[in-house]
Amino acid sequence: MGLLPENHAERIAFFTSRTALWTTNATAIGTTTTQVTDVTTKAAAATTALAAQLAAQNAAKAATQTLFDAMDALTNSGSIVIEQVRTKSRTAGEGVYPLANLPAPATPSPKPAPGQPTELVVSLTQTGAFDMKWKCPNPPGTQGTVYNVFRRVGSVGEYTFIGGSGVREFTDETVPSGAALIMYKIQAVRSTAVGPFATFNVFIGTGAGGATMITSVVETTSPKMAA
């Protein structure tokens, strides 16, 4: 830290608190009373300038708040008229918008369907369940997507719905024992559209000591293609 305070008020106080002592001891400390008087004069000028700056800052803050208040009042008042025009258009038609020099509301475009799950990662829990996580590149506007999970044991037979998840992960707590292949289908859905299925093969083997282990997970669908 330097000798002189960075704060303006504190620097002014630094000098003004010493000028009397400097005047008394001017010769002994190697200066002159003329120089110390100059410091006193400039400290007074700095004090006046600082006070003017603070007053200007306070005035600017007050003016800014006044502007904000005026803009809020304008926006609220104008918004009432805009909403009245919209209300009128519901009975009189969109012809009222040109009369008000306002744009007619754009027709909302349909929201796209969710994406297709990919890159499934499966880990085996201590209880023998499968913890599954995947990615799904959903397009914008598909918030609220839920993922439905279907399972088939082996390579033949029907898929069975085993649950859904609002996030890109799911735990299969009912994995059949002794299965060598579990096939999963995962589909992203929302209220008005569904995404394409993704199919994954989970191969199960036996490790040292007879412990069950997942040997590999293979995705059998290409991204953005239905199963």
Side-chain angles (χ1 to χ4, degrees), residues 110-163:
K111 293 182 179 180
Q116 183 179 40
T118 186
E119 299 184 43
L120 177 68
V121 176
V122 182
S123 58
L124 188 66
T125 70
Q126 292 183 347
T127 62
F130 283 2
D131 274 345
M132 302 187 294
K133 297 182 180 181
W134 59 87
K135 296 182 180 180
C136 188
N138 292 317
T142 55
Q143 293 84 358
T145 297
V146 174
Y147 299 90
N148 288 336
V149 182
F150 301 81
R151 183 185 67 197
R152 180 172 73 185
V153 180
S155 58
V156 296
E158 298 294 329
Y159 281 89
T160 302
F161 175 74
I162 60 172

Side-chain angles (χ1 to χ4, degrees), residues 93-227:
E94 293 190 354
V96 300
Y97 286 104
L99 297 177
N101 192 21
L102 292 173
T107 302
S109 58
K111 293 182 179 180
Q116 183 179 40
T118 186
E119 299 184 43
L120 177 68
V121 176
V122 182
S123 58
L124 188 66
T125 70
Q126 292 183 347
T127 62
F130 283 2
D131 274 345
M132 302 187 294
K133 297 182 180 181
W134 59 87
K135 296 182 180 180
C136 188
N138 292 317
T142 55
Q143 293 84 358
T145 297
V146 174
Y147 299 90
N148 288 336
V149 182
F150 301 81
R151 183 185 67 197
R152 180 172 73 185
V153 180
S155 58
V156 296
E158 298 294 329
Y159 281 89
T160 302
F161 175 74
I162 60 172
S165 175
V167 293
R168 297 179 181 89
E169 56 186 68
F170 179 81
T171 299
D172 185 356
E173 301 278 3
T174 60
V175 179
S177 60
L181 170 64
I182 304 288
M183 299 181 67
Y184 290 100
K185 278 190 174 184
I186 304 175
Q187 184 180 42
V189 301
R190 56 184 181 80
S191 59
T192 58
V194 298
F197 276 106
T199 305
F200 305 91
N201 295 342
V202 180
F203 294 92
I204 307 166
T206 302
T212 301
M213 59 182 296
I214 297 171
T215 59
S216 64
V217 179
V218 178
E219 183 174 353
T220 61
T221 51
S222 300
K224 300 183 181 179
M225 293 180 59

Side-chain angles (χ1 to χ4, degrees), residues 32-141:
T32 64
T33 56
T34 300
Q35 182 60 45
V36 176
T37 299
D38 187 63
V39 173
T40 301
T41 300
K42 288 181 169 56
T47 300
T48 301
L50 178 61
Q53 183 205 35
L54 294 176
Q57 288 177 338
N58 290 333
K61 290 179 182 179
T64 300
Q65 187 59 53
T66 299
L67 173 61
F68 287 162
D69 293 343
M71 292 304 301
D72 287 343
L74 170 62
T75 301
N76 291 337
S77 181
S79 296
I80 291 174
V81 176
I82 293 173
E83 188 56 37
Q84 289 171 338
V85 173
R86 290 172 177 167
T87 301
K88 181 68 175 180
S89 73
R90 297 187 184 103
T91 56
E94 293 190 354
V96 300
Y97 286 104
L99 297 177
N101 192 21
L102 292 173
T107 302
S109 58
K111 293 182 179 180
Q116 183 179 40
T118 186
E119 299 184 43
L120 177 68
V121 176
V122 182
S123 58
L124 188 66
T125 70
Q126 292 183 347
T127 62
F130 283 2
D131 274 345
M132 302 187 294
K133 297 182 180 181
W134 59 87
K135 296 182 180 180
C136 188
N138 292 317

